[in-house]
Amino acid sequence: MSERYAFILLNNKKFWNQLCRQNRTGKALHAFVRRGKVGPKKAELLLFYVNHPAKQIRGVAEFVERIIGDADDLWNAYGNETCLKSYEEYVNFLQGKHKVTFIRFKNLRELPVPIPASVISKVAGIGRMPRSGKYINKKTVNQLIHGAT
């Protein structure tokens, strides 16, 4: 499990900002939506990498579970945990996909000092962040978080 201690999720600025707004209102559980069957199966932490234009890890949360299933079923069960504002926005986001992944997490915290891509590259050896995300070990997480704050 130590090699898969944390998982870096890619997020765009719009959805990251919506997620942060919800978190500040006191929402306890969140769900990150992915098209298809992707994302971590097991991890202790999730790190949120905001791509263009930031290219930074902006937040950390505790991984709860990954659920894969029918788009409508998952929306009905967990849609209120997503940062998506409506079912219509959800459908547009899915771009016609019927199998989706919901990555549930809790205790989201924004990092006081975001971790830039240059530090991620140096510490984790990740030159370009894979779209599907990336597992990293506990030692790397500690170097990233404590080296950046």
Side-chain angles (χ1 to χ4, degrees), residues 57-82:
I57 293 175
R58 294 264 180 103
V60 179
E62 295 172 33
F63 176 77
V64 173
E65 65 181 333
R66 175 183 90 163
I67 304 170
I68 298 171
D70 175 75
D72 287 335
D73 292 344
L74 289 180
W75 176 260
N76 290 333
Y78 305 105
N80 65 324
E81 294 178 2
T82 73

Side-chain angles (χ1 to χ4, degrees), residues 5 47 57 111 113 115-116 119-125 136-149:
Y5 178 74
L47 281 70
I57 293 175
L111 295 176
V113 179
I115 304 164
V119 172
I120 299 165
S121 178
K122 182 179 173 186
V123 172
I136 57 175
N137 63 35
K138 188 173 186 174
K139 179 181 176 187
T140 302
V141 171
N142 288 334
Q143 288 174 330
L144 288 170
I145 302 293
H146 300 298
T149 58

